[in-house]
Amino acid sequence: MSLIGRAEPLVPSAVSAAACAHCGAPLAAGQHRFCCTGCEGAHALVAGLGLDAFYRRRETEAGALRPEETAPGLDLAPFVTTDRDGTQRLELLLSGLTCGACVWLVEQALAAEPDVLSARASLTARQLTVTWRGEAARANDVVALLARLGFRAAPWSPACLRATEDAEGRELTLALGVAAFGSMNVMLVSVAVWVGWDMGPALRHALHWLAAMIGLPVVLIAGMPFYRSAWTAIRAGRPSMDLAVSLGVLATTAMSLSETLRNGPYTWFDGATMLLALLLAGRVFDRAARRRARQSVAELLALQEGVVSRLLPDGRMEAVPAENIAAGDRVLVAAGERLRLDGVADADALLDAAATTGESVPRTFAAGDSLPAGAVNMGAAFAMMVTAAAKDGSLAAMARLLERAEQAKGRFVAIADRASRYYVPVVHAVAALTFLGWWGLLDAPWQVALVNAVCVLLITCPCALALAVPAVQVVAVGALFRRGVLVTSATALERLASADHAVLDKTGTLTEGRPVLVPEGQDAGTLRRAAGMARASRHPLAQALARACPDAALAEGVREVPGQGLLAGEARLGSPAFCGLGPSADGMTMVFRDGDGAPVAFRFADRMRDDAPAAVAALNGLGLPAELLSGDGEGAVASLARRAGIPAWRSSADPVAKQARIEALKAEGRHPLMVGDGINDAAALAAAHVSASPAGATDLAQTAADLVLQREGLAALPAAIRVARRAQAIARQNIGLSLTYNVFAVPAAVGGLVTPLIAALVMAASSIVVVLNALRAGKE
Amino acid sequence: MDSLFLLVPISLFLGLLGLGGFLWALRTRQYDDLDGAASRILFDDDHPRKETPK
């Protein structure tokens, strides 16, 4: 499977002196061995279990295994299934599981627990199955252990299941195995016939029967995926490549059978089975590459998928999946949590609605205001009454908008289908004319005429043509995967290659989409103390402060006053009002005050990504002039556009306006590339010619986008366009190659000069040329 | 040519044995995690270091 590869490590596995001994991230000045206290704890845990060998074999990306500062809040006991003999089983999706050493570490660490019966991780599916004897609540200990090691776990959800549920893939693998077995064994018999000049007719007859006995079941079983797809194409009234393959294979088999019955000199069972084997191999690789991309997207989504806390009438709380909440239920929204449902709060709430409206600054929603799902709670925990169940809410409405836009996109015809639309009728017409020519004009017996007609079908049978585009796709998608770009749609590369305009969202796309500390010359010691306190809170601003000083140790005895701030002895950290100052205008300021000392303010802002201007310039250089489309106010948008080097911008665009702008561009004949991360971008993403969403985008945006950038930053985007264009050029070349080959092969077949030996040689040679050419698509 | 009556069945039998092996591997889900299987052979200790209560 080297064609597909896995994400390349950014650091060599041998950890250099300046990298964290646990996660491999580069160390900041003054740090010794570890980048944060979490990594230090993880390293001690691994060493304590006697599993240090992990660090010698690790191939993970730098920083991927840094343990999160806050403990996972989700209770996993409800996801445990109890088997009949009393063993508990938990299936988890494990993020960060990227190399063999990780599999080893996770399995050994869990197996060392006395009550764990088995732990088995799948590297491809990122799935972990743990069984143990005892209480279901042990599930949380398992997840806590994984979190301390740096792995994030989420319950194995239906979304992951859909992505990996691979009945179709298994059927293809089965078909490939059968076809490979059949073609090799038939070839064994056929070669004997080809080289056996002195063979008697009786023996030849026997060998043909042998070939038929192997070949017939193989053609029936291994060809099923093609026949099924061809039948769909017939019913839709559109000729497809699979129809050509099916007709060619079936006609060849039928004719070989009749030749066997009347003891003719040649049969073509080898050609039919080899064709199937080659095509199935291409298809299995294609699937494996795309499955990996889908899997990674499902993983991102599962980690976001939430459980909400429902408030019961008696005051207790229970964790329930969001889709089980009905309108009228009351739920608790914790500080820093994302709202899963629309609702009305009982009290004032401070929400960051960047994902739903594009506003970059959080604002206060008064009691009774309707709160949009998708916003993040920046203030204290509050209770709200749900106004619409998940399937009727604003998120679902957006999903429906998205679905309509996706349907419109379904009309895009891939280049391979365009080629087969002309190719299939032409080939079949040539075959029919060959039959009529030999039978009608040259007065040959009808058997001979039929043999030559079927030879035309066999030799043109678009082996090279059918491999031409998928082979390039596999290589290009694999190369992009290694660069951290997930390609989720089969035609995304083609559409990306032809994009000629870029529309960018502001918050979360050009900016980082989360608060970052604005350095204003605060004293380093104060920053360290404040960050140590901030580490105790899940509030987004506190977390941003903790990120700004990652090596600050967790302060002791911190008490949180919900919605206001943190107390540790005499020291206070929190909103300006909490520390005795006036209220802040935008809710993006935190103040630290030690007793009666002078208050120190920490301001936060949503910073522009460092590589945004370079990415915009690179897009421009590739012929994609950029424009900025944001739901935020005019001032913020104009200033960012200037700094990022974007001449055209629009502010205060709501989801419908964004989609309308995309439609307008398309009406002008442009092919817009839309890049966005928010729920408000989803409809525009789906409507665009091709779309991408950056790391950390909302789940709805990731579902709508054709490409998902896994790593921070936009730098991968211009690179992806270059790879897509190169892939497209090679795909065209490949189609040209296979057409050229037909120009030479078809006259030979029409003239009746093609023996099975020549057919087999020509077919294999053309496929190899096409595949070798496709391998160039991965290089940049 | 009589040798063919022996050799052809033998070669077919061996081929079918291979196919049978492939089908068995597919059915026992050994193709589901190809990446994991590739690194698993490098693990030194197949079994966890503890007495598993079975």
Side-chain angles (χ1 to χ4, degrees), chain A residues 159-402:
Chain A
C160 326
L161 203 66
R162 267 196 302 282
T164 47
E165 203 220 11
D166 221 15
E168 202 189 324
R170 267 141 70 76
E171 195 198 321
L172 274 182
T173 317
L174 174 73
L176 173 62
V178 171
F181 158 81
S183 63
M184 281 187 278
N185 282 282
V186 173
M187 197 61 83
L188 196 79
V189 179
S190 301
V191 170
V193 177
W194 297 340
V195 298
W197 306 111
D198 53 348
M199 192 179 282
L203 181 60
R204 193 184 65 199
H205 200 181
L207 288 179
H208 279 164
W209 269 113
L210 192 60
M213 268 158 47
I214 307 169
L216 281 178
V218 168
V219 165
L220 274 184
I221 297 170
M224 274 324 274
F226 297 99
Y227 309 149
R228 211 171 296 138
S229 152
W231 179 238
T232 328
I234 291 176
R235 288 210 305 202
R238 264 200 305 247
S240 72
M241 206 61 101
D242 283 348
L243 180 61
V245 171
S246 304
L247 279 177
V249 167
L250 288 177
T252 310
T253 311
M255 189 196 64
S256 301
L257 190 61
S258 93
E259 288 293 288
T260 307
L261 287 171
R262 68 180 196 94
N263 195 8
Y266 291 124
T267 58
W268 278 263
F269 288 112
D270 57 311
T273 47
M274 187 171 75
L275 180 69
L276 285 178
L278 284 173
L279 289 177
L280 284 167
R283 222 161 264 211
V284 166
F285 281 122
D286 189 29
R287 232 191 120 71
R290 217 132 18 85
R291 171 182 164 181
R292 198 179 284 234
R294 277 203 322 272
Q295 166 70 34
S296 302
V297 173
E299 177 184 323
L300 293 170
L301 298 186
L303 289 171
Q304 294 188 5
E305 209 162 79
V307 169
V308 295
S309 327
R310 176 158 63 187
L311 285 168
L312 298 174
D314 59 2
R316 284 187 301 119
M317 273 197 311
E318 60 172 356
V320 187
E323 57 261 33
N324 291 1
I325 298 277
D329 282 355
R330 288 167 56 77
V331 299
L332 188 75
V333 183
E337 188 181 330
R338 190 180 284 276
L339 269 65
R340 299 273 148 201
L341 301 148
D342 300 321
V344 179
D346 306 344
D348 286 3
L350 183 67
L351 294 183
D352 173 7
T356 48
T357 60
E359 295 164 274
S360 56
V361 176
R363 74 180 165 96
T364 306
F365 288 72
D369 280 0
S370 66
L371 312 178
V376 178
N377 180 11
M378 301 288 280
F382 63 90
M384 75 170 192
M385 184 163 72
V386 175
T387 48
K391 64 178 195 307
D392 311 316
S394 59
L395 287 184
M398 194 60 79
R400 279 193 292 276
L401 200 61
L402 208 118

Side-chain angles (χ1 to χ4, degrees), chain A residues 487-765:
Chain A
V487 182
T488 55
S489 145
T491 56
L493 281 184
E494 273 187 68
R495 288 184 273 122
L496 184 62
S498 56
D500 56 10
H501 194 90
V503 180
L504 306 171
D505 170 49
K506 184 177 82 74
T507 317
T509 303
L510 284 173
T511 68
E512 294 190 352
R514 60 176 189 196
V516 177
L517 180 67
V518 182
E520 287 173 329
Q522 288 97 349
D523 174 47
T526 316
L527 175 64
R528 180 182 282 267
R529 281 196 62 199
M533 280 177 76
R535 184 145 296 181
S537 167
R538 285 185 70 182
H539 190 279
L541 290 187
Q543 290 194 346
L545 189 58
R547 269 199 301 275
C549 188
D551 57 336
L554 175 63
E556 302 212 343
V558 178
R559 200 158 57 80
E560 184 154 7
V561 182
Q564 301 191 48
L566 302 160
L567 285 170
E570 287 288 286
R572 287 168 169 245
L573 175 72
S575 65
F578 182 65
C579 299
L581 302 179
S584 85
D586 55 1
M588 294 288 266
T589 306
M590 260 185 143
V591 176
F592 175 76
R593 188 169 198 176
D594 192 1
D596 293 330
V600 181
F602 295 101
R603 282 207 311 118
F604 297 86
D606 185 13
R607 203 178 53 180
M608 181 170 79
R609 289 186 198 268
D610 293 333
D611 57 358
V616 168
L619 285 176
N620 214 353
L622 288 166
L624 282 82
E627 92 176 50
L628 182 57
L629 198 56
S630 174
D632 207 357
E634 190 174 328
V637 178
S639 121
L640 186 83
R642 198 177 56 241
R643 278 182 292 143
I646 303 177
W649 52 268
R650 267 154 209 260
S651 57
S652 315
D654 62 1
V656 179
K658 287 192 178 194
Q659 195 187 354
R661 174 67 190 143
I662 296 283
E663 298 292 353
L665 280 169
K666 281 165 87 177
E668 284 172 29
R670 319 286 315 237
H671 300 103
L673 157 70
M674 169 81 200
V675 190
D677 74 315
I679 293 164
N680 56 336
D681 300 315
L685 286 170
H689 181 63
V690 59
S691 53
S693 68
T698 51
D699 43 6
L700 208 57
Q702 289 189 355
T703 329
D706 300 309
L707 305 161
V708 178
L709 311 180
Q710 258 184 319
R711 297 191 187 138
E712 286 291 330
L714 298 170
L717 203 55
I721 294 176
R722 278 194 290 273
V723 168
R725 288 195 177 161
R726 191 180 161 82
Q728 211 46 25
I730 294 176
R732 281 210 197 89
Q733 244 174 41
N734 266 351
I735 290 177
L737 275 177
S738 48
L739 288 181
T740 319
Y741 133 82
N742 272 322
V743 169
F744 292 103
V746 170
V750 172
L753 300 174
V754 173
T755 62
L757 176 62
I758 294 175
L761 285 179
V762 164
M763 216 154 61

Side-chain angles (χ1 to χ4, degrees), chain A residues 13-36:
Chain A
S13 46
V15 179
S16 67
C20 174
H22 178 67
C23 73
L27 290 181
Q31 288 178 330
H32 178 64
R33 286 203 74 196
F34 299 106
C35 65
C36 59

Side-chain angles (χ1 to χ4, degrees), chain A residues 6-13 58-62 98-99 482 711:
Chain A
R6 65 171 71 107
E8 269 172 15
L10 291 185
V11 287
S13 46
R58 177 192 55 183
E59 292 172 15
T60 51
E61 250 178 68
T98 48
C99 67
R482 281 192 293 277
R711 297 191 187 138

Side-chain angles (χ1 to χ4, degrees), chain B residues 25-49:
Chain B
L26 194 67
R27 194 158 301 141
T28 48
R29 314 195 77 108
Q30 298 193 35
Y31 281 87
D32 286 9
D33 184 18
L34 291 172
D35 303 331
S39 20
R40 254 171 223 285
I41 56 165
L42 299 173
F43 296 176
D44 293 329
D45 31 9
D46 293 333
H47 301 289
R49 277 165 266 181

